[in-house]
Structures are given as structure tokens and as C-alpha cells.
Amino acid sequence: MPPLPCPSEPALTHYTGPLLTRATGTALLDAVGRGDAIWRGSLDLGRSTGEAHLGPGHWQWRDQHYPYPGKLKERTLYWWDGEAFAPVSRFSGSLIKLVPTEWDVPTFEIDGIKMLPSAKESPLDDARRKVALVEPRGKRVLDTCGGLGYFAACCLEAGVAHMQSFEKNADVLWLRTINPWSPDPDAPVSGGRLALTHADVTDAIAGIADGSMDALLHDPPRFGIAGELYAQTFYDQLARVLRRGGRLFHYTGNPNRLTSGRDVPREVARRLERAGFKAELALDGVFATRR
């Protein structure tokens, strides 16, 4: 297999400082108001618990001192940017924002549109059910649109042999460095099994050899934003790189047919069939096997 495109920028180091929500910020201030010397809880979205030592004008966590936060908004995560607690968001033509959920594991939004399901379960649990369909253990898996990396995290957990993940949006890659639930390709726990490349998969897929992938995970933005990722030409490329018998899960969501006038999941299934797959509707997308 020829080398895949290299990332266009250096790898970004994962953030290790505190993450605040409105609830944790309020809990810290309430503890100070009671005269407590220590607040116990999680400042990394439930990944771990620890102790914050509370002083009269500042608090200490992991040997670093921070000022007490001001007013924090709902549905917003805050990180320490070196000067203040700032929202975990960026604007580069679109507002991209990491959003807390009741499950600890965050979702993210682009211009206010939620990119990952979180109403009924954790986005990570949602990803785990979809990943299970392609049975990644011991396989080479292509992750076309990496997002926050939850497909990758579940594949690593399930014993994937190697995962090649692409993400086009630099701001989404930055969110991954803040989000403690996003897998770090350079972390020892990844064991060198995850390669994350900053690239547009519609271009990068040309560098992947025929039949070199055992399974595919395709989680594109909605059709109106990224129609090229639903095109017949792209599905033909997916069929080319996937070995015979290989499995694919394609997230489509459940757009309202009455308002959109389209049945996107069935359109996708028909195009995948033309590309050489046997396809059926599954979960909130399409499951297919390469014929």
C-alpha cells in the first residue's frame, strides 16, 4: 500500500488543564462560599476525579493556579487559554463549538447544528453500536470523516489492527485536542494503531490501494453541507479500497422526508448497490457489505 498523505500541519498536543461547565463552575463557587478548603469532582468531563484546593482569590488543580470563573453559559465548555476561561469554540467561516451533554462525553456543533446524536445516549455509546456492525477487531479500518474521533476510540477499544482516519476541518482537529474523550494517536494506549490525517478524504482516498481496507466507517456531515461525500463517484472509490466481504457503516441520520422531499438513506443504499455493495438500512444509516 502506498504511503497515505501526510498531515499538512504538526500534530497538536492534547490540552491537560481543567474544563469547566456551568455546573462545575457553580460547584466551585458554592464550595468557596461555604468556606470549604477542597472541592472534589471531575474537571475533565468525567474521565477522572480529583481535588481542587480553594484559596481566597484563586484555586489550584494539578499544581496550577486559576482565578475563579465569572458567569458561565449553559451548553458551553470552557478551557484555560492562558489568560482566562474561554469557550471551547472557533470561528473560521463557521462557528464550531464543543458542547457538553448529560453523559459527560461532549458533542459538537457547526453553526448551531449538532453533529453527533446525544439526546438518548452518550455520543460514545452511539458510536460503539455503529462500530460493532463492522467488527473491527484485527482489521484495517478506514474512517473517512474523523470528527471528534469517537469511531476511532471505539475501534481501538475493540482491538482494531490499524485505523486510518481523515478530518478535513482544522477547527474540528483543534476540538479533539481539548476534548479528553477524543483519542490521541500519539498516546501509548493507541499503540501506534491510529493514524489521523488532516486532509479531504475525497482527494486522499486516491492514494489508498485497491482492496487494502477490511472495513469502512463513513460519518459525513449532512447532505446539504457535503454532497460530494454522498456522490456515486465517491461510493465507487469506497468500493475500490474495500476488500470483498468487507463491511461498511454509513451514517445518514433520519432527515424528515416531508420537509426535505428526499429519502436520503434509501438514496444512499441504491448508490452503494450500484458501486458494488449489498446494502440495507440499519440504525440511523446504511450497513453494507462489499460483493
Side-chain angles (χ1 to χ4, degrees):
M1 177 177 176
L4 293 168
C6 294
S8 57
E9 60 187 40
L12 299 175
T13 303
H14 260 58
Y15 171 71
T16 57
L19 285 169
L20 298 180
T21 63
R22 185 173 181 178
T24 53
T26 298
L28 277 172
L29 295 174
D30 287 348
V32 173
R34 292 191 301 267
D36 295 348
I38 293 175
W39 175 83
R40 294 178 178 85
S42 178
L43 293 172
D44 57 3
L45 302 181
R47 292 289 285 179
S48 67
T49 57
E51 294 184 347
H53 297 266
L54 310 178
H58 65 272
W59 55 284
Q60 180 181 330
W61 188 69
R62 293 183 178 174
D63 300 323
Q64 297 292 323
H65 291 84
Y66 302 96
Y68 290 104
K71 186 176 181 180
L72 303 181
K73 297 179 181 179
E74 288 283 4
R75 300 185 65 257
T76 303
L77 285 169
Y78 295 83
W79 72 300
W80 180 252
D81 68 2
E83 297 181 358
F85 283 102
V88 184
S89 63
R90 279 188 172 181
F91 184 84
S92 302
S94 298
L95 178 63
I96 295 182
K97 174 183 178 182
L98 202 61
V99 179
T101 71
E102 63 180 294
W103 320 102
D104 289 330
V105 180
T107 182
F108 75 109
E109 294 179 350
I110 299 179
D111 287 338
I113 299 172
K114 187 167 66 173
M115 294 292 109
L116 299 171
S118 62
K120 297 180 179 180
E121 64 180 339
S122 156
L124 193 59
D125 287 338
D126 175 78
R128 191 173 284 116
R129 289 189 299 113
K130 295 167 181 174
V131 164
L133 291 175
V134 305
E135 299 179 349
R137 178 172 294 278
K139 294 180 178 178
R140 289 182 59 87
V141 179
L142 171 62
D143 178 25
T144 62
C145 305
L148 294 182
Y150 296 155
F151 277 172
C154 294
C155 282
L156 290 170
E157 173 187 274
V160 71
H162 182 78
M163 187 163 198
Q164 174 62 58
S165 183
F166 293 96
E167 176 52 51
K168 178 180 178 179
N169 193 306
D171 290 337
V172 173
L173 290 174
W174 176 75
L175 291 185
R176 288 177 70 134
T177 69
I178 306 297
N179 179 16
W181 291 95
S182 293
D184 181 354
D186 297 321
V189 70
S190 297
R193 293 177 294 145
L194 173 60
L196 174 61
T197 301
H198 179 198
D200 184 339
V201 70
T202 59
D203 298 324
I205 197 169
I208 301 178
D210 296 2
S212 60
M213 292 294 169
D214 301 309
L216 304 177
L217 291 163
H218 186 41
D219 185 7
R222 59 192 175 96
F223 181 84
I225 295 176
E228 70 278 7
L229 292 171
Y230 297 77
Q232 187 66 55
T233 53
F234 185 68
Y235 294 156
D236 291 344
Q237 287 284 349
L238 293 181
R240 179 185 64 78
V241 304
L242 185 63
R243 65 168 177 80
R244 293 187 182 277
R247 297 182 172 200
L248 159 71
F249 178 75
H250 183 323
Y251 171 77
T252 62
N254 296 297
N256 189 320
R257 293 178 61 186
L258 296 179
T259 56
S260 70
R262 308 186 68 167
D263 189 339
V264 174
R266 293 193 185 279
E267 285 184 25
V268 164
R270 286 195 293 270
R271 289 177 189 153
L272 288 172
E273 290 275 356
R274 287 197 292 270
F277 291 90
K278 180 181 178 182
E280 61 186 74
L281 303 189
L283 302 177
D284 48 4
V286 178
F287 172 69
T289 305
R290 179 74 165 88
R291 293 198 298 265

